[in-house]
Each structure stands twice: as structure tokens, then as C-alpha cells.
Amino acid sequence: MRTATGAVLALLLAAGCASASTASTGSTASTGSDRSSAPVSAGGALTVADALDTPWGVARLPDGDLLVGSRDTGRILRVDPATGARADVGTVPGVDPGGEAGLLGLAVDGQGRIYAYFTSRDDNRIVRFDYDTSRPAGAQLGDATTVLTGIPKGNNHDGGRIAFGPDGMLYVGTGETGHRELAQDRDSLGGKILRITPDGAPAPGNPFPGSPVYSLGHRNVQGLAWDPQGRLWASEFGQDTWDELNLVRPGANYGWPVVEGKAGRDGYTDPVVQWHPVDASPSGLAYASGSLWMAGLRGQRLWQIPLDGDRAGTPVAHLDHTDGRLRTVVVEPGGTLLVTTSNTDGRGDPKPGDDRILRVDPR
């Protein structure tokens, strides 16, 4: 595996880029350019799609296409990662954006139904949609079925990542919305990792009977990933001192706001790796080729964290300050990575063509 610090990742597959005009008009599809003309990002990664508006959640469909959600508009696009062609799926009703709030995580279950974590007028919640591609573009979402309500909302620390685990349960990363005490309150859904059934009930075998809470003491979880042994890892924003990569165990308390980073204090579980926020401010997380890959926002890096069982090697930075803020990481079946930038989220410095989906080869 190539591990030279700061080296530009080699790319396995090329992909076309959908036109900016199609992204803005919401037409049913755009024609991507051929592989030989696929644009290259500042960091040397190939651009799969560009001109995306505040992309946040990304989910893979069974046929390999991507669902990409816009945090600020609530709109979901379908993107073909081979050509960059896109189609307008629909808009999630009731999204109330502002600050870090809006349409956040997306997930797809085994039946092809779409799950969305979003900020409503009253809370953060998860809803489910049937997805009907036979309906007109922009109207392919069925009626929303409420899965879970009552997750605290705020302009900051809204969490938002959702993912189905190997056990078929839906895992949910939430934030404490700036109210630190919620992270230690087992009766609150804020500052937690939740584990629920696809219908929203507390999952069987959860550590606290009758509760969706799987782990607590988190500040703002925005990345969830499983390694080949089925272990759950989570990336977490710290406050001023340490961001964290945690190995998540049921019922464990990760310390916030009592401790931040590695403290060695009884009753709290230390992170496996920690970074200063200027170097990370982590969001999305994925596993590929023996490593975890973590997207950094303020840090503007794609961090590679080699794994050896439940231990981590020295992190290596890729795309180091070349493509701006990085939000979400998705693994393709062939092992390549798709990484979204997050330069139009109000905290970045967008360049022409932002935001983008980039393809990189982790090997």
C-alpha cells in the first residue's frame, strides 16, 4: 500500500463529470464526458461529478449508483459514478436548514428504501421513503414514514450520519447540539450512537433495555464504519483540543464533556487515535484496503488510519489541503473511494465547480 505522507493518491478508474448547468436545473440526466477527458482535481483525484450544492449524505444503491443529498436544499440527486450523469430524485419535505442543520445522512436498506436524517422545525429525525424510479424525475420519493423523532436539534453539533450495520440494524450518530450535559444523559438521544431496527424501535440486544442508546458521551459523531471483523468505528468532533477516532463498544461511555481525548480515566473509554481539530475536524468514515479513511473538514485532508485488529497505526494524510474541506467517504465494490468535498457549506472557500465527488485509489 502506498503510504507516503502527503502523496497524491493514484486513481484506478476514470469518470466523467456532469455539467454544472444540469446540476442547477434538475433535469433528469446529464451526459458525462468520456474517461479520457475526465477532469482532475487540485489533488490529482478524478472528478466524478461537480457543481453540487452542499452535499452531505451519500448512499449507494444496489446497482452502484449514488444518492447524494443537499444539506441546504433538501434535494436528493441520483449520480452514476461511472459517467457522472445525474437525475433528480426528489426533495425531502420539512427540512429546516441553518448552520450545520438540514438534510444530513442518507442510507438505503436491503429493500431499496431510502432513509434520511434531517433537521425539522422541531427536532432532528429519521424518515423512510419508498423509491419509485418509474415516477417522473423529481417526484420519485413516496410518502415519508417516520422512523425516529426527538433527536435534539441545533445550528451546530447535529451529528447526522446513519448507516446499516452488518447486523441489519440502523446506526445513528448524533450530536449534543452545544448542550454538553445531553451527552451524559441516557434519557436524551443527543451526544450518542443509537442502534435501532429499520422501523425505529430500540434494537434487540442494546445495552440499555428499551433504549435506542448504544454508546454515550459523544460530542458530535459524523462518521460510522465497520471493519471486516464487524467492529464499529466512529469519528467524532472534539472541542478545542482533540478530535477522536473511537472503537465503539455497546454501553461504553466516551467521556464528553467530562474528558476530551485520551484521559486514562476510570469509567470512560479513550479514543484509539486523536488529532488536533486544525488537522482533522472529522466527518465521514469508511473502511478499505486494511485502513480506515476519514474525511477532514477544517483539516482538509483524507486521513488513512491503518488497522491491526483493534489497534491503529500512524495516520497518513492524503489530499492534504488540495481540494478543500472533505465531508463523506464511500467505498466502491472494486475498492476505490468516492470522497465528497464540502466547500459550499458556508465555511469553505469554494472554487469554480465546487462541490465535487472525487474518486481515489486507496491501494
Side-chain angles (χ1 to χ4, degrees), residues 15 22 37 50 53 56 81 89 94 139 152 161 166 180 209 211 214 218 269-270 273 297 313 318 344 349 356:
T22 301
S37 60
D50 68 356
D53 186 341
W56 209 104
V89 172
R161 194 68 64 181
R180 299 181 176 191
S211 171
Y214 191 70
H218 299 287
T269 300
D270 281 348
V273 185
L297 291 163
H318 302 277
T344 61
D349 181 19
R356 308 171 189 271

Side-chain angles (χ1 to χ4, degrees), residues 12-295:
L12 181 64
L13 299 173
C17 170
S19 67
S21 61
T22 301
S24 62
T25 61
S27 61
T28 57
S30 65
T31 302
S33 56
D34 63 31
R35 291 184 177 186
S36 63
S37 60
V40 178
S41 78
L46 292 184
T47 298
V48 171
D50 68 356
L52 298 170
D53 186 341
T54 55
W56 209 104
V58 180
R60 289 186 58 82
L61 290 166
D63 66 0
D65 279 6
L66 305 176
L67 296 176
V68 182
S70 167
R71 185 194 69 184
D72 290 354
T73 70
R75 180 184 179 202
I76 299 176
L77 295 177
R78 180 173 182 146
V79 178
D80 182 343
T83 66
R86 65 190 74 184
D88 191 354
V89 172
T91 299
V92 175
V95 174
D96 185 24
E100 297 175 3
L103 175 58
L104 303 176
L106 297 177
V108 176
D109 69 10
Q111 301 179 50
R113 300 177 298 184
I114 300 173
Y115 290 69
Y117 179 122
F118 73 92
T119 311
S120 74
R121 183 181 62 182
D122 301 316
D123 58 9
N124 283 310
R125 57 181 53 199
I126 299 170
V127 297
R128 182 179 67 221
F129 301 94
D130 289 328
Y131 178 30
D132 186 353
T133 57
S134 69
R135 297 175 64 179
Q140 296 176 345
L141 298 176
D143 294 336
T145 297
T146 301
V147 172
L148 184 67
T149 62
I151 302 170
K153 63 172 284 188
N155 286 335
N156 297 297
H157 312 177
D158 259 9
R161 194 68 64 181
I162 58 176
F164 281 96
D167 56 3
M169 298 296 109
L170 185 64
Y171 289 75
V172 183
T174 74
E176 37 79 306
T177 67
H179 300 279
R180 299 181 176 191
E181 69 280 1
L182 297 182
Q184 292 294 324
D185 181 357
R186 270 182 29 196
D187 293 328
S188 171
L189 301 183
K192 308 294 191 299
I193 293 175
L194 312 176
R195 178 175 174 264
I196 59 177
T197 69
D199 292 325
N206 275 3
F208 309 114
S211 171
V213 173
Y214 191 70
S215 61
L216 67 155
H218 299 287
R219 182 173 178 269
N220 191 17
V221 175
Q222 287 193 9
L224 300 169
W226 288 264
D227 63 24
Q229 288 70 48
R231 290 178 291 241
L232 173 61
W233 299 81
S235 55
E236 181 169 345
F237 284 84
Q239 176 69 30
D240 299 317
T241 309
W242 297 114
D243 293 330
E244 301 179 357
L245 174 69
N246 286 300
L247 177 58
V248 181
R249 304 190 187 281
N253 188 329
Y254 291 84
W256 180 255
V258 182
V259 296
E260 180 182 1
K262 297 180 180 181
R265 185 164 172 176
D266 289 344
Y268 303 108
T269 300
D270 281 348
V272 177
V273 185
Q274 61 186 17
W275 294 260
H276 293 299
V278 69
D279 296 322
S281 297
S283 188
L285 189 68
Y287 177 90
S289 301
S291 295
L292 290 166
W293 299 82
M294 188 181 79

Side-chain angles (χ1 to χ4, degrees), residues 302-314:
L302 178 64
W303 283 104
Q304 175 191 0
I305 307 104
L307 293 185
D308 180 9
D310 59 3
R311 295 176 296 178
T314 302

